[in-house]
Amino acid sequence: MRVCKRYEFDHGIKGFTLGWSLAGPPLMAVFFYVFDRVMIDTGQSRMAGESLAIARRHRVDRVFLTHHHEDHSGNGALIHNALGAEIFGHGLTREKLKKPYKILPYQHYVWGTTTPVEVSPLPEFLETSLGRMIPIHTPGHSLDHLVYYLPEKGVVFSGDLYLGDRIRYFRADEDMGTQIDSLKKVLALDFHMLLCSHNPRESRGREHLQTKLNFLETLYGSTIELWKKGVPEKEIFKTLGLKEDYFIKYFCCGNVSLINGVRSAVRHYEACRKQN
């Protein structure tokens, strides 16, 4: 099944959600956004034809990546080669996309691979028809993660910083403590529209982001409180009453699970403790 839906947001911003599966509804669809010949992320290579057609229809000449993950960067090379669009991203994104990188079988199935592409460095701010757009480094979900902020319109393109008010699973390489810091950084901004790559919030975006921060801070604090008492990670998971989605965990080869959140909190705490 192939899914391609279009959404209209304020200020002429268009959102497109793409999803793919062999049969039945896609496991995880992904949004990208277009305005003023600008594209925020590109969608997954499993939906290359749809992504390129949308970029061509809107005469996209600049693509801004939130991070290197294949559901965000998957069609960057295609759009660059077909339309001559310049691809921008964080310096770490540029290094990651210089050559092919390994992904797990579930990532191949759900999204497909990313073709290497030259990524241009980002200026301090970008001029658009909606005013200045400011890239802000927000690591935690990935080291290279960015959000893009339109202060004049109160819009944040948040990539994978938000995802939901409560998080049901974490990638093995996520850093919860760093993500908490990134959430606080974005919450210091003045905005109302949160255009997430999987769960956009057209209104009350700041409140939704605050709810996620509250959730993560509670989970982090509860985890570390038990860890300091010598409780092992698996027992922390049980004590906190957390429930694992075993289908997701095993389908993703353990790379995505809720216990990864407990491990991430402990890893961040121990790293900070050693630094001090």
Side-chain angles (χ1 to χ4, degrees):
M1 175 182 286
R2 305 177 75 86
V3 173
C4 179
K5 295 181 180 179
R6 169 175 165 160
Y7 299 83
E8 298 284 342
F9 296 97
D10 288 346
H11 315 302
I13 299 170
K14 298 176 178 62
F16 298 87
T17 182
L18 304 180
W20 179 92
S21 68
L22 281 173
L27 284 175
M28 182 174 283
V30 59
F31 275 83
F32 63 81
Y33 300 94
V34 178
F35 71 96
D36 183 33
R37 303 183 68 179
V38 166
M39 195 170 186
I40 310 293
D41 286 336
T42 70
Q44 63 275 55
S45 61
R46 287 285 190 189
M47 299 290 288
E50 289 84 349
S51 179
L52 178 58
I54 291 165
R56 194 186 299 279
R57 188 181 316 132
H58 292 89
R59 297 182 297 146
V60 166
D61 59 12
R62 291 183 292 172
V63 174
F64 296 97
L65 300 177
T66 58
H67 57 302
H68 73 276
H69 289 164
E70 56 281 352
D71 52 329
H72 299 261
S73 65
N75 297 307
L78 176 67
I79 293 168
H80 169 72
N81 293 334
L83 305 180
E86 190 169 7
I87 313 297
F88 293 88
H90 192 274
L92 293 173
T93 308
R94 182 167 66 251
E95 291 302 313
K96 191 74 174 180
L97 297 187
K98 280 184 175 179
K99 56 185 178 181
Y101 60 91
K102 292 181 180 180
I103 58 176
L104 293 170
Y106 84 90
Q107 294 167 298
H108 275 282
Y109 172 78
V110 176
W111 297 305
T113 59
T114 291
T115 301
V117 63
E118 182 178 348
V119 176
S120 298
L122 283 162
E124 184 177 351
F125 58 84
L126 315 136
E127 295 294 348
T128 77
S129 64
L130 300 182
R132 285 186 173 181
M133 186 167 74
I134 304 170
I136 302 170
H137 189 209
T138 50
H141 176 73
S142 66
L143 291 173
D144 63 331
H145 195 280
L146 295 166
V147 305
Y148 295 95
Y149 176 43
L150 291 167
E152 294 179 29
K153 303 301 182 185
V155 176
V156 170
F157 298 97
S158 61
D160 283 351
L161 180 67
Y162 169 61
L163 299 181
D165 290 3
R166 295 175 59 87
I167 304 302
R168 293 183 296 150
Y169 28 74
F170 295 77
R171 286 172 59 111
D173 58 350
E174 287 191 86
D175 186 318
M176 188 190 300
T178 302
Q179 192 170 144
I180 287 171
D181 291 339
S182 292
L183 286 163
K184 290 178 178 177
K185 183 188 297 186
V186 176
L187 282 165
L189 306 174
D190 182 16
F191 69 96
H192 63 277
M193 190 186 301
L194 186 70
L195 294 181
C196 171
S197 293
H198 298 282
N199 188 13
R201 300 292 188 175
E202 190 168 9
S203 62
R204 300 175 58 231
R206 198 173 184 284
E207 295 174 40
H208 284 286
L209 205 64
Q210 181 67 57
T211 301
K212 177 176 181 178
L213 173 61
N214 296 343
F215 169 77
L216 288 188
E217 287 187 316
T218 299
L219 178 58
Y220 185 97
S222 301
T223 296
I224 300 309
E225 183 179 351
L226 292 168
W227 177 254
K228 287 178 179 179
K229 295 177 181 178
V231 181
E233 292 171 349
K234 289 185 178 179
E235 287 303 314
I236 291 173
F237 189 86
K238 293 178 182 178
T239 302
L240 295 180
L242 301 175
K243 302 296 182 182
E244 193 71 85
D245 185 329
Y246 286 102
F247 171 77
I248 292 294
K249 180 176 180 179
Y250 294 123
F251 177 76
C252 298
C253 314
N255 181 247
V256 176
S257 70
L258 187 51
I259 197 170
N260 283 341
V262 172
R263 291 168 177 158
S264 175
V266 169
R267 189 167 60 243
H268 180 270
Y269 170 76
E270 288 296 329
C272 292
R273 192 170 65 87
K274 289 176 182 177
Q275 288 176 3
N276 296 331

